[in-house]
Amino acid sequence: MGPSSLLHPTMQRFILDEDCLFLLCSDGLSDNDRVEEHWQTELLPVLEGKVDSAKAVQRLVAIANSQNGHDNVTIGLVHCKVSPGDHASSSSRPLDVALATPPTFSNSLLNIASGKKSAYSAPQTSKTQILRRSPPNPIPRLLGTGVLLAMVGVITYVLTSNLRSG
């Protein structure tokens, strides 16, 4: 763990031409190939419209708690639905994505072991906020490069003058 100033995320644009799911999870679920074992029974029904994403998240948390009980679990599941005309106008406007807040599970491992139900909060819908970052100011980098070049010039001058006189 370190300060957030050490994080340098890479952003990439994905062009989606069909409905898909993005699963972000901690090792509480991904350890021991749990995602690979259960994607067909737990995630595929979301794409087929048979199960909603909140229910799938609940079931994945239950799987993680019962089969990988040694670790905590965090799950984010985003269901992207693509409709036929979406790609034509998407490049000219920001993408609005509705995110459902996943259920909150407090002490879910202990609650399952004791037979109690986990705490659940109803999903809340919010819009993502797209932040625009201004380009970095080049002046400090140019000044630093100029100072470095000046120092190299002074050191070179001193060394060459010592060689000439000695």
Side-chain angles (χ1 to χ4, degrees):
M1 299 294 290
S4 62
S5 61
L6 298 177
L7 295 176
H8 303 287
T10 300
M11 297 172 64
Q12 184 176 351
R13 178 178 278 179
F14 289 104
I15 298 174
L16 304 176
D17 57 358
E18 61 185 348
D19 293 358
C20 65
L21 294 174
F22 287 102
L23 173 67
L24 305 169
C25 64
S26 64
D27 58 348
L29 177 64
S30 64
D31 274 357
N32 303 317
D33 297 327
R34 297 296 178 230
V35 175
E36 288 79 4
E37 288 176 11
H38 296 282
W39 73 269
Q40 289 178 325
T41 58
E42 305 304 328
L43 297 175
L44 194 56
V46 176
L47 282 174
E48 295 170 342
K50 297 176 182 175
V51 175
D52 69 350
S53 56
K55 182 68 175 171
V57 168
Q58 286 178 340
R59 289 164 56 169
L60 290 170
V61 168
I63 288 168
N65 284 334
S66 65
Q67 297 180 17
N68 281 355
H70 67 279
D71 202 353
N72 61 354
V73 60
T74 303
I75 296 174
L77 183 62
V78 179
H79 185 187
C80 298
K81 295 182 181 180
V82 178
S83 54
D86 282 352
H87 66 280
S89 62
S90 62
S91 62
S92 62
R93 60 178 170 79
L95 178 64
D96 287 331
V97 179
L99 297 177
T101 304
T104 303
F105 295 92
S106 61
N107 299 322
S108 50
L109 179 59
L110 296 174
N111 291 339
I112 287 175
S114 64
K116 296 179 183 175
K117 285 191 171 186
S118 298
Y120 174 77
S121 64
Q124 300 170 354
T125 302
S126 62
K127 294 278 185 173
T128 57
Q129 181 180 4
I130 298 175
L131 301 175
R132 304 284 183 218
R133 191 172 180 186
S134 60
N137 187 353
I139 292 175
R141 182 171 277 171
L142 289 173
L143 287 175
T145 303
V147 168
L148 182 65
L149 289 173
M151 288 174 48
V152 168
V154 168
I155 291 171
T156 303
Y157 175 77
V158 169
L159 288 176
T160 56
S161 65
N162 285 342
L163 289 175
R164 285 185 202 153
S165 64

